[in-house]
Amino acid sequence: MLSFIVSRAARAAITILLVVAFAFVVMRLSGDPALLILSVDAPPEAIEAFRKAWGLDRPIWEQFLTFATRALAGDFGRSMRDGRPALALVLERVPATLAITLPALALKLALGIPAGIFAALNRNSWADRAAMMASVAGFTMPSFVLALLLVLVFAVQLGWLPASGSDTPLHAVLPILTLGTAGAAIMARFTRSAMLEVLGQPYIRAASAKGLGWWLVVLRHALPNAAIPTVTIIGFMVGSLVAGAVIVESVFAWPGIGRLLVSSVANRDLAVVQSLLMVIAGWMVLANLAVDLAYGWLDPRVRTITSRAD
Amino acid sequence: MAIQDSLGGAAVAAPARSGARRAGRLLLGLPPVVAVSVAWLALALVVAAGADLLAPYAYSALDLKARLSPPVFMGGGWAHPLGTDELGRDVLSRLIVSVRMSLLIALFGTMIAAGLGTVLGFLAAHFRGRVEALILVLIDFQAGMPFMIIALSVLAFFGNNLVLFIVLMGFHAWERYARIARGLTLAANEQGYAAAVRQLGATPLSVYGRHVLPNIASTLIVSMTLSFPEIVLLESGLSFLGLGVQPPLTSLGNMVGYGREYISRAPWIMLAPSVVIVMTTFSISMLGDWLRDRLDPTLK
């Protein structure tokens, strides 16, 4: 188990390092931020001074080393726009994003898991087909279309809920509904296929054959085993708590991480984008690591199989 | 059933009568939802292929006297069946051209990703050792970051042109193909047939291209039907944010993006492309599910 944990943690660390490198290289190769922040006709001395101040005049590997060592110390630089520490700027947006993504996650699980179990237990019934059609419709509908449809119905036509902004708790309802509905569709699908997989196993037949009631078979033997693959998708959803609302936040003018990303990418605010990438990646990697460990804990087979295959 | 039949017949439009009948029978043999999906996709492909002939107006032609005129079913005239936008551009014509743009991007994106991923998966399985470790790290990286975030940073920082955008879409989900190709190739290498053709003196290229690939193709194709609608959604999402396909070009997401500003006065501008996006991605997913049920023997 220890070597399993160590190998997973090492891979997580490598992934983080790659994200740092990716963020850095893409952004430095793509253009000269000095010319973007200052106008093109700024005096050359001013541009020179700007470059010196941000270390843009040094070779790129040196810039990267500086960046990486500072990043390890928790210093991601300052926003080029308003001069505040970039990491602080990013972190202060996290609560707003979580305020809509956490309730949305609860909605996904509360709707998706029962629907998936129900569909699997009634496989090929009309209810199963209807649930799966609804589920496909739910996750093939782009979040911005769903968001705009909800705005059209609840804000424009009925006038019950505000269309955008973040002043009252009511403003959070439509974003949460948008995120939750699509996620519940995915959750239902995964739960259904995990359940079907388990229900086809010999040990379920054995449990039925020895005379256990069907509900006991489902509760004691099917559900716990079906929970294992479902952990993956829940982990993925937890991983996207921070960055999973880019479009929804933009539609509803919600002041979270996603909107900050879009605006700082548009402004080419390098320090903020780098901090964002790091925070998002760090969170995703932690969530993935947690899933891997949970998997190893739930399913002893994984520990030995993965340490051999990978 | 009559509706399906006419839809199917119109969409397939085979030249020979018997061919049309056979195609019609084939469509009728499918589950209804799948048949409608196939018919819709065929219609979308026909529209995409004949966009220039089918569009009643040039997609950027202005008609300033008919700005924001509603579609027929909302009291508008037949001059603009789906209405016009704020500059008097014909929504139907823009929709037709947008369908072509969005499908082309998704098609190229899917093919690039499938090609790239499969080759990398083969390389990993063939060389093992360091090459495999490197590819696995890249897979982890790609899977560890939401692609939306990667795409967003690359696009905004490299500026935007269509070729770059399509290539970027080609990086979506390559890691899934790579994982599948690697895993199945490792399994195939343990089976008799790969070893047998190798013993017969086949080059690695022919082992993988002519023997392993056909054996794992069905899984890859199912994966492509999963990732195609994802690319449609990704493209339309980015275009919606104003970071994808740029005006004067148009795509489905781009139309929804500017239609959003007229949501209370002229909802048809955003509704028309929204319906097309949802129908298209829904159809491909239904088709993909059906294919997986047919192609994956473990589900039977």
Side-chain angles (χ1 to χ4, degrees):
Chain A
M1 189 68 189
L2 186 67
S3 72
F4 174 73
I5 295 176
V6 169
S7 78
R8 292 292 140 146
R11 274 167 79 165
I14 292 175
T15 309
I16 289 278
L17 205 65
L18 273 175
V19 173
V20 181
F22 165 81
F24 182 82
V25 170
V26 163
M27 275 152 218
R28 288 298 145 96
L29 288 183
S30 58
D32 188 342
L35 293 180
L36 262 147
I37 302 292
L38 311 169
S39 64
V40 185
D41 43 300
E45 308 88 68
I47 293 181
E48 214 36 59
F50 181 90
R51 286 194 177 135
K52 211 157 234 148
W54 291 100
L56 296 173
D57 53 343
R58 279 173 301 208
I60 196 151
W61 58 268
E62 201 183 315
Q63 290 181 38
F64 177 68
L65 276 185
T66 320
F67 172 73
T69 41
R70 280 196 192 147
L72 286 179
D75 174 12
F76 291 90
R78 284 166 182 277
S79 161
M80 291 184 185
R81 288 273 153 175
D82 60 9
R84 295 181 46 212
L87 188 61
L89 212 62
V90 172
L91 291 179
E92 75 182 26
R93 295 289 195 112
V94 173
T97 294
L98 290 181
I100 57 171
T101 50
L102 275 176
L105 179 66
L107 192 62
K108 290 172 197 177
L109 301 182
L111 280 179
I113 293 180
I117 294 175
F118 179 77
L121 292 179
N122 297 284
R123 192 183 180 188
N124 288 336
S125 68
W126 66 268
D128 174 29
R129 280 167 209 267
M132 283 308 105
M133 290 260 296
S135 139
V136 177
F139 78 79
T140 51
M141 178 170 296
S143 52
F144 58 88
V145 169
L146 185 59
L148 290 180
L149 287 181
L150 290 174
V151 166
L152 197 58
V153 173
F154 291 103
V156 177
Q157 298 287 336
L158 298 172
W160 290 352
L161 292 166
S164 73
S166 57
D167 303 328
T168 66
L170 269 188
H171 284 90
V173 174
L174 286 183
I176 292 171
L177 270 183
T178 310
L179 290 170
T181 317
I186 297 173
M187 198 65 230
R189 254 179 108 70
F190 264 85
T191 310
R192 176 181 179 269
S193 66
M195 272 300 276
L196 284 182
E197 179 102 35
V198 169
L199 289 176
Q201 296 295 322
Y203 57 77
I204 295 293
R205 230 173 306 148
S208 303
K210 75 178 186 191
L212 269 188
W214 181 233
W215 277 107
L216 271 182
V217 175
V218 169
L219 282 179
R220 275 220 212 119
H221 297 272
L223 284 182
N225 282 296
I228 297 175
T230 316
V231 165
T232 313
I233 189 72
I234 296 179
F236 177 77
M237 285 174 171
V238 171
S240 65
L241 280 178
V242 169
V246 175
I247 289 181
V248 171
E249 284 179 6
S250 299
V251 174
F252 292 105
W254 189 262
I257 288 281
R259 254 183 95 211
L260 180 66
L261 178 65
V262 172
S263 69
S264 49
V265 158
N267 292 333
R268 292 203 173 182
D269 199 336
L270 301 190
V272 177
V273 176
Q274 280 167 337
S275 315
L276 273 166
L277 280 173
M278 286 304 299
V279 168
I280 294 170
W283 178 260
M284 291 281 300
V285 166
L286 275 183
N288 285 343
L289 188 64
V291 168
D292 277 347
L293 297 183
Y295 234 96
W297 177 63
L298 282 171
D299 187 349
R301 286 170 300 178
V302 173
R303 281 174 238 160
T304 46
I305 292 172
T306 44
S307 55
R308 260 193 292 131
D310 290 349
Chain B
M1 281 319 219
I3 297 170
Q4 263 174 50
D5 201 6
S6 65
L7 258 182
V12 174
R17 236 188 110 67
S18 66
R21 205 175 298 151
R22 203 180 312 142
R25 215 178 301 137
L26 195 72
L27 268 183
L28 282 180
L30 299 174
V33 183
V34 180
V36 173
S37 301
V38 171
W40 171 266
L41 291 175
L43 179 71
L45 285 180
V46 169
V47 165
D52 294 325
L53 296 172
L54 288 169
Y57 301 88
Y59 72 94
S60 52
L62 307 180
D63 183 355
L64 293 177
K65 273 179 285 179
R67 274 178 290 179
L68 297 178
S69 83
V72 171
F73 50 87
M74 289 173 77
W78 281 102
H80 300 287
L82 291 181
T84 59
D85 64 14
E86 79 285 7
L87 296 171
R89 295 175 297 192
D90 184 50
V91 170
L92 177 64
S93 305
R94 292 185 74 71
L95 194 62
I96 289 173
V97 176
S98 298
V99 167
R100 178 174 62 187
M101 175 64 84
S102 293
L103 287 187
L104 269 182
I105 292 176
L107 198 65
F108 278 114
T110 310
M111 290 192 318
I112 295 173
L116 180 73
T118 309
V119 167
L120 285 174
F122 281 158
L123 287 177
H126 182 72
F127 288 106
R128 311 298 307 261
R130 265 191 214 157
V131 177
E132 187 180 33
L134 177 69
I135 291 174
L136 284 177
V137 165
L138 287 178
I139 288 177
D140 271 3
F141 166 65
Q142 178 85 13
M145 277 302 278
F147 190 70
M148 182 88 185
I149 308 294
I150 297 182
L152 219 51
S153 25
V154 172
L155 272 177
F157 281 83
F158 280 111
N160 204 312
N161 69 60
L162 195 58
V163 176
L164 175 83
F165 188 62
I166 292 176
V167 170
L168 185 64
M169 293 300 104
F171 277 89
H172 171 73
W174 67 264
E175 87 279 4
R176 254 183 260 157
Y177 304 101
R179 269 186 186 148
I180 294 171
R182 169 179 167 271
L184 292 178
T185 307
L186 288 178
N189 281 343
E190 311 243 311
Q191 281 172 16
Y193 74 90
V197 285
R198 202 167 283 127
Q199 291 295 320
L200 287 171
T203 60
L205 201 64
S206 118
V207 173
Y208 292 115
R210 290 186 49 197
H211 298 280
V212 177
L213 188 60
N215 274 295
I216 69 172
S218 61
T219 318
L220 290 173
I221 289 171
V222 170
S223 200
M224 285 169 82
T225 65
L226 283 178
S227 103
F228 185 95
E230 286 170 7
I231 297 185
V232 173
L233 294 182
L234 189 66
E235 177 272 317
S236 48
L238 288 169
S239 300
F240 173 81
L241 289 175
L243 297 165
V245 174
Q246 300 289 315
L249 293 176
T250 175
S251 81
L252 295 171
N254 183 305
M255 284 182 79
V256 182
Y258 74 77
R260 160 191 172 193
E261 288 162 40
Y262 299 88
I263 187 165
S264 51
R265 276 195 296 156
W268 56 86
I269 304 177
M270 58 135 301
L271 283 176
S274 301
V275 168
V276 173
I277 295 173
V278 173
M279 287 287 285
T280 308
T281 49
F282 181 80
S283 299
I284 300 166
S285 298
M286 287 322 271
L287 186 63
D289 275 4
W290 180 77
L291 274 180
R292 187 180 48 196
D293 287 348
R294 301 287 305 257
L295 294 177
D296 188 346
T298 59
L299 286 175
K300 282 186 183 151

